[in-house]
Amino acid sequence: YANKEYMGVYLLAEKQEVKKNRVEINNAEDNSSTETGYLIEFDSYFYTEDPNQVFTLNYTKNGKVVDRNGKIVTSMNNGYTIKNDLNNVAQRNFIKNHMQKIWDSCYKAVNDESIDSKSVASQYIDLQSLVDTYILSEIACDPDIYLTSFYMTIDFTGNKLLTFQAPWDFDSTMGNKAHDANSQGLFAGVVRKDVNNEFDGTGNPWLMLFVNEPWFQKMVKAKWDSVKDKAFNIAIEQIDYFSAKYTTNFTHNYEKWKNIGKNDKVGFELRPEAAACKTQAESAKHLKKWLQDRKVSLEKGIKNLQQN
């Protein structure tokens, strides 16, 4: 209710910010040192932000970027936004140069067989966080990972490693978006169309950089095997729990907005299966089936990852 008017059902979520119990790193805003903590978003909307809070990277000065199938990425966002306010411009220049150094060093290692790419990458990146982010992206099939809402941190007062965390923005995921969101095949490390299905050749640089490295594939397989049952079981259990507990609330929400199945209300973004749902119960059933199908497909895809 707002001003005594019923406004429906909403999901509250915490903001990505440097704060206790959220993203716990040293805060660049609180000191003038360049060796502090930075919260960074891979963000194609960086140009709308304060120029002193953004930077770009050059991915291809040393060559092309290819996906797990050897397909060249022709259109890749190179903009980043620093999400915690900075204390000075020197901090912005420092983190920009450091991020470019990470990319250049890792790119060179991946493309030079004489270099141990895992050894190089581990000097700059929290590899387990990248593996976890890759698996989450594979489970969710989130087209936004090629565009925005993809977060990472570096804390130079801590382990000084680029750490991928604080995942965000799942409205287009898990069978909801009109394209690139079915339950078949691997998703995160391949070239795709953009989030609006307008042009081909997009990709997430960090998820593609190591996708063909045997050590990365081995880490992905090991983590997948340890979490796959629990992750999907918990998700499906939560769908059943909330569907049963809040049936009346969902009914009232629909009476207020009459928005389920109204594809025109969201720019015709929904897949036909999602748009066909007329009730919350039907939407829940669709989501459960999608997750169950996704688990089967992903099990096969990750099992055969190195063979491809």
Side-chain angles (χ1 to χ4, degrees), residues 254-303:
Y254 178 67
E255 291 171 350
K256 169 69 178 181
W257 297 113
K258 297 180 174 60
N259 57 345
I260 297 179
K262 302 296 184 180
N263 208 4
D264 58 310
K265 300 298 183 182
V266 288
F268 296 95
E269 290 186 353
L270 299 181
R271 291 180 63 79
E273 300 90 336
C277 297
K278 302 302 182 185
T279 65
Q280 183 276 334
E282 290 179 4
S283 295
K285 182 179 180 181
H286 164 64
L287 177 55
K288 284 173 61 176
K289 183 180 186 305
W290 189 93
L291 285 168
Q292 291 162 344
D293 291 344
R294 183 61 186 154
K295 182 182 178 183
V296 173
S297 177
L298 199 46
E299 172 75 0
K300 180 179 179 180
I302 290 181
K303 181 178 180 181

Side-chain angles (χ1 to χ4, degrees), residues 131-143 145 170 172-175 180-189 207 220 223-225 227-233 235 287 290-299 302:
V131 167
D132 293 348
T133 298
Y134 176 84
I135 292 174
L136 176 61
S137 300
E138 285 288 9
I139 291 174
C141 293
D142 185 1
I145 62 173
F170 291 92
S172 298
T173 69
M174 292 176 275
D180 280 345
N182 63 38
S183 61
Q184 304 304 308
L186 293 181
F187 179 88
L207 298 184
V220 167
K223 187 58 181 283
W224 166 254
D225 287 340
V227 302
K228 59 185 178 183
D229 292 331
K230 183 177 181 180
F232 282 89
N233 289 344
L287 177 55
W290 189 93
L291 285 168
Q292 291 162 344
D293 291 344
R294 183 61 186 154
K295 182 182 178 183
V296 173
S297 177
L298 199 46
E299 172 75 0
I302 290 181

Side-chain angles (χ1 to χ4, degrees), residues 56 102 109 117 176 179 188 208 230 234 237 260 266 288-289 305:
T56 59
I102 293 175
S117 62
N176 223 20
H179 79 290
M208 289 190 176
K230 183 177 181 180
I234 288 176
E237 287 171 2
I260 297 179
V266 288
K288 284 173 61 176
K289 183 180 186 305
L305 191 61

Side-chain angles (χ1 to χ4, degrees), residues 40 95 97-109 115-130 152-156 159-164 206 209-210 215:
I40 305 166
I95 193 60
N97 292 335
H98 186 76
M99 288 288 289
Q100 187 68 61
K101 179 181 178 181
I102 293 175
W103 177 265
D104 291 344
S105 299
C106 292
Y107 183 92
K108 179 180 179 181
I115 300 176
D116 182 348
S117 62
K118 183 178 183 181
S119 177
V120 172
S122 64
Q123 297 177 41
Y124 298 104
I125 298 173
D126 182 321
L127 297 181
Q128 192 59 59
S129 74
L130 182 59
M152 59 204 79
T153 63
I154 303 182
D155 189 352
F156 290 92
N159 63 16
K160 302 182 181 180
L161 298 177
L162 179 63
T163 303
F164 296 86
W206 301 101
L209 185 56
F210 303 109
W215 60 263

Side-chain angles (χ1 to χ4, degrees), residues 64-124:
K64 61 189 178 182
V65 178
V66 299
D67 72 357
R68 61 178 297 272
N69 299 316
K71 188 174 181 179
I72 298 174
V73 187
T74 58
S75 176
M76 188 156 53
N77 167 52
N78 68 342
Y80 294 78
T81 300
I82 304 166
K83 304 303 289 188
N84 51 328
D85 291 337
L86 299 182
N87 186 281
N88 53 64
V89 175
Q91 291 174 332
R92 176 258 186 192
N93 294 336
F94 174 82
I95 193 60
K96 168 185 168 62
N97 292 335
H98 186 76
M99 288 288 289
Q100 187 68 61
K101 179 181 178 181
I102 293 175
W103 177 265
D104 291 344
S105 299
C106 292
Y107 183 92
K108 179 180 179 181
V110 166
N111 290 278
D112 187 337
E113 294 184 357
S114 68
I115 300 176
D116 182 348
S117 62
K118 183 178 183 181
S119 177
V120 172
S122 64
Q123 297 177 41
Y124 298 104

